[in-house]
Amino acid sequence: MKTQAKNFFEDLPEIKIDPSMPDFSNHPFFVEKKRRAIEFLKKHPIPEELLKSKEGAQK
Amino acid sequence: MNSPTYLLSNDDENFSYTFFSEGRNGIVAKGVLFQLVDSRTCHYNLAFGDIVSADGDFDDYAISDNQDTEKILATVAHAVHDFMQKMPNARVMAEGSTPERTRLYQIKISKHFDDISRLYNVFGFISDQWQPFEKQTRYEAFLITAKEVNLIL
């Protein structure tokens, strides 16, 4: 399993940089997703202590 | 986690990625976007959808049924990994567009958790609270952070 994980993250194909790719970041579909995510995080912020805890740093 | 992935394109500016799913129902373009939702905490939202028209319209609920879910999710994982290489302090949140899709994410994260957790901390949201990800728990949303960053912090 260890080898598989290493292979997946290290042997991934190169990502093609395409400057001609349309910018869809302002598309209403994604703007709405962003709005919902902001709302969700405001209501349910993740506690900083959880992020830094040993429990968070899972084995 | 040795699933094959589709080739990704990245605009290298807006943290957006595209790829093409191929299967029995044809070719479906897909877009992945990392949206900054809180600059103070470096929180990003992972947004994902099908590009369903030449005008670049998106659909969250489209079911292409190309029998390539594993490959699609491995490709999204590749995009997440690439993004985290560029933004190692980022906290990336993900939620499925439907409970079924959130459940699918849950299943895939659980399946590959041993591999994922070597590099990333994974958290789940359930019953109004965040907690470290556990395989048997059915979460409503997920969040990942890079492990090295947390160790430094």
Side-chain angles (χ1 to χ4, degrees), chain A:
Chain A
M1 286 302 283
K2 204 169 216 171
T3 309
Q4 282 182 354
K6 192 177 176 185
N7 286 345
F8 179 82
F9 288 115
E10 291 187 357
D11 297 339
L12 288 164
E14 193 177 332
I15 294 178
K16 181 185 160 200
I17 303 297
D18 182 2
S20 67
M21 214 171 93
D23 173 16
F24 47 78
S25 60
N26 289 318
H27 189 284
F29 173 84
F30 285 107
V31 171
E32 174 59 18
K33 278 179 174 274
K34 184 174 177 173
R35 188 195 63 74
R36 287 207 312 257
I38 290 170
E39 207 170 275
F40 183 87
L41 274 175
K42 269 186 190 165
K43 276 169 74 177
H44 310 294
I46 184 159
E48 290 298 316
E49 60 271 25
L50 175 63
L51 287 169
K52 293 171 184 171
S53 69
K54 282 185 180 178
E55 281 182 12
Q58 295 147 343
K59 289 174 189 174

Side-chain angles (χ1 to χ4, degrees), chain B residues 1 46 50 64 70 72 82 87 92 95 103 111 124-125 147 150:
Chain B
M1 194 166 179
L46 167 59
D50 286 8
S64 50
E70 187 83 23
I72 288 171
D82 183 72
M87 299 293 291
V92 177
E95 184 187 10
R103 177 72 179 143
K111 183 178 174 186
F125 180 80
K147 222 157 204 179
N150 273 355

Side-chain angles (χ1 to χ4, degrees), chain B residues 5 18-19 26 35 42 47 52 55 72 85 106-107 120 136 150:
Chain B
T5 61
T18 55
F19 64 95
Q35 306 172 296
C42 208
V52 293
D55 297 333
I72 288 171
Q85 301 297 302
Q106 159 87 39
I107 291 166
Y120 299 106
Q136 304 305 325
N150 273 355

